[in-house]
Every structure is written in C-alpha cells, then in structure tokens.
Amino acid sequence: NEYKSYLRYPSPNMSSKRFARPVFEAPIPDGMYLGRNKKVNPAVFLQWGQELAETLRLNDFTGYAAFQINDQKTIFMRNLRLDLTPALYEVQWAEPYDISYRAYNSHTGRTSFDLTIEFLVKGVRVATLIRKMVYVSLETGKPIELPPEFASGNPDKHLINFRLEGSLPWRYSSVEMAVRPSDIDYHQHVGHPVYVNYALDASAAAGYRYLPGPPDLLGGQHEIARIDLEYKLPALYGKPLHVYTWDTVPSSADQSPDIKHEVHFAMYQSSYIFLKHVVCLARVSLYR
C-alpha cells in the first residue's frame, strides 16, 4: 500500500493518469524561499502535500473510492504534522532538482486515518508530512465509521495523536493580521498551508529572532524541526485574524531530545462584535 513517484522541475508535460509513475511539475515559488540562501519555507511541503493528496485521491490510491464524498459525507482534516530532518538544511536548491516521495495511508481508528507523505532528495528523507483525516457526517457534524473496504486495505497504525495548548499564558505577544483573498481555497475558507505563513509572519511581528528568515531581518540561524497544526474552525475572508504567540522549553514526552525550543500560536477570529473563537492552534519546534 505504498505509492511512489517523483516531483521534478523542470518536467515534461505529462498526464498523471497515463503513467504508473506520474510526473508532477513542482517548482518552488519565489515566495517560498526564506532569504538569499535559498532555504525553503516549510509551507511549500504543505502545498505539495495538498496537491499530491488530491492526485492520490483521484487515482484511487489504496481505496479512496470507498468513501462517499457528497453533500452528506466528507473527509475533514483535524491535525497536521510536518517533520523536517537536519538533512533538509544541507540541500542546495539548484535547478533542475528532483524530489521523490513515498505515500501511504494508515487506519488509525474507527473514524480516522493518517495520510503520510515522505519527501526525499537524492534518496535522503528531508521531510515527512502526516495529515490526520476524519470521516464526517455533514448532517450531524460528527465522525462516522470508515468504509470497511478502506479500513481493511490499509495498515492499522497510530502515527499522530496530539492536542495543542490553547490557553494563553500570562506573558505573550499578539498581532492582528488580515486574511487575504489569495489565502482562500475552493472551500471558501483559508487553505491549511497558509496557517504556517501566519505563524511565521506573527513571529516576525512579535520580534522573535530565532525563526528562519532573511539574515538582514531575522537572523535566520535556527532550524525548524517540526510544525504541528490543530484545526478547530474555518478562518474566513473579511474578518481580521488575531494571533497570540508565546514560547516554552519542550516538555512533552513525544518530542525528540534534539528539539531545544517551542513556539506556540493561538489564532482567533471574531464571530460577533465581542466574541472570538479559535480557528487554529500551532506549535513550531526548533532544533536550536
């Protein structure tokens, strides 16, 4: 139940439906670079992951056809984890470049599964993206059981299960951000890769100097090891986003001993004049 293929740039113009090993055109947009050293914004892996996930679904990768996606049932993403290896920071993104990937599903419960995508450069893993998906009834808003044929066709493996802290500490920074029209996806709410940019932008506005950025602006000497996102409610266009930021020393048991620092984010949007609701929680873990 493993799907392998390649991201290539530049690439021939081929249709993925005609090839067992489809080729995808995946240039890194200029906006995905952090500074003149051509380090890659982690959000690019979320964007690639979104595009690959849709391609895998359309090609019925390990039983996606078993799901009834209609006006009564859908698949909702609850959590996302992006692990970045130290090897990523050694890559020189010269063009042309080849990125291979491996993808597989894991049945993690009666109502949920994880889609894992590993990105490799010259055979070396540089990033792993895990998307926890939940099968949901649109009538009740509650999870429903996975189709038996999907559950039986994918291994039972628990990959990610975390809850992020949303309570604000006594000391934090805050910034108000605008939701741009380009942030909205075809579901008419903020696309999930955009939240990583919100976190990095909020870090800069709050004066943090240890997240990656242009050397003349943020220093950019620290390296991101992991990004965790927990989605609560859709963020919508036309309402400001309030991002609260604070940092801690890692304490959770599932963190690697190589992780030295954590930065937390709580993103709120107003629903009424004086009422805010949380739309997304995030945690960025740093190697150093």
Side-chain angles (χ1 to χ4, degrees):
N1 292 331
E2 184 177 281
Y3 187 99
K4 298 181 180 180
S5 189
Y6 290 88
L7 295 160
R8 292 179 181 169
Y9 175 71
S11 67
N13 184 16
M14 297 182 179
S15 169
S16 62
K17 296 182 179 180
R18 295 175 53 198
F19 294 86
R21 295 171 62 86
V23 177
F24 301 90
E25 185 177 89
I28 299 180
D30 289 340
M32 291 292 97
Y33 288 125
L34 293 172
R36 304 184 192 93
N37 56 1
K38 294 292 186 178
K39 298 300 182 183
V40 174
N41 186 327
V44 74
F45 291 106
L46 275 68
Q47 185 63 47
W48 283 342
Q50 175 75 0
E51 295 169 3
L52 290 173
E54 186 64 17
T55 300
L56 295 172
R57 184 184 69 82
L58 293 175
N59 284 276
D60 192 26
F61 165 59
T62 60
Y64 274 117
F67 291 104
Q68 300 177 28
I69 308 299
N70 49 42
D71 57 355
Q72 296 179 329
K73 301 176 182 179
T74 191
I75 299 175
F76 172 76
M77 182 159 55
R78 190 179 71 189
N79 295 73
L80 182 147
R81 169 167 288 174
L82 176 65
D83 281 320
L84 304 175
T85 72
L88 172 68
Y89 298 98
E90 303 299 324
V91 175
Q92 299 297 318
W93 297 96
E95 300 174 1
Y97 60 83
D98 285 359
I99 301 179
S100 61
Y101 73 89
R102 293 192 294 258
Y104 55 91
N105 284 323
S106 299
H107 169 216
T108 59
R110 294 187 304 107
T111 63
S112 64
F113 68 96
D114 290 352
L115 169 60
T116 301
I117 302 175
E118 298 178 353
F119 296 90
L120 303 95
V121 175
K122 297 181 179 179
V124 177
R125 184 174 62 88
V126 296
T128 301
L129 178 65
I130 307 175
R131 299 155 45 107
K132 179 167 288 295
M133 315 299 294
V134 182
Y135 198 28
V136 176
S137 167
L138 292 177
E139 295 179 342
T140 64
K142 296 181 179 180
I144 53 180
E145 290 197 13
L146 298 175
E149 54 269 42
F150 180 87
S152 62
N154 293 280
D156 185 1
K157 184 179 181 181
H158 203 70
L159 294 177
I160 58 172
N161 184 27
F162 59 83
R163 286 289 183 267
L164 299 182
E165 180 58 53
S167 301
L168 299 181
W170 68 274
R171 185 176 181 180
Y172 58 85
S173 298
S174 64
V175 62
E176 181 178 305
M177 307 176 69
V179 176
R180 302 169 301 178
S182 58
D183 296 339
I184 304 301
D185 64 12
Y186 56 86
H187 293 299
Q188 301 305 307
H189 56 67
V190 172
H192 73 268
V194 180
Y195 290 97
V196 172
N197 287 329
Y198 288 159
L200 295 179
D201 290 346
S203 301
Y208 289 99
R209 299 186 59 83
Y210 40 69
L211 290 182
D216 55 348
L217 178 62
L218 297 176
Q221 299 302 312
H222 292 78
E223 298 172 350
I224 295 177
R226 172 177 292 171
I227 297 176
D228 291 323
L229 297 176
E230 182 178 343
Y231 300 101
K232 296 294 189 180
L233 291 169
L236 305 175
Y237 175 67
K239 299 178 180 180
L241 194 71
H242 303 270
V243 185
Y244 301 88
T245 306
W246 66 98
D247 51 3
T248 62
V249 175
S251 58
S252 61
D254 67 331
Q255 293 284 31
S256 165
D258 295 330
I259 293 176
K260 306 301 183 185
H261 206 83
E262 292 179 347
V263 190
H264 301 262
F265 304 88
M267 306 180 193
Y268 287 78
Q269 199 169 48
S270 299
S271 53
Y272 299 100
I273 296 177
F274 299 108
L275 182 62
K276 298 178 183 177
H277 58 259
V278 62
V279 296
C280 183
L281 300 174
R283 177 176 61 199
V284 174
S285 304
L286 304 172
Y287 279 121
R288 56 189 178 88

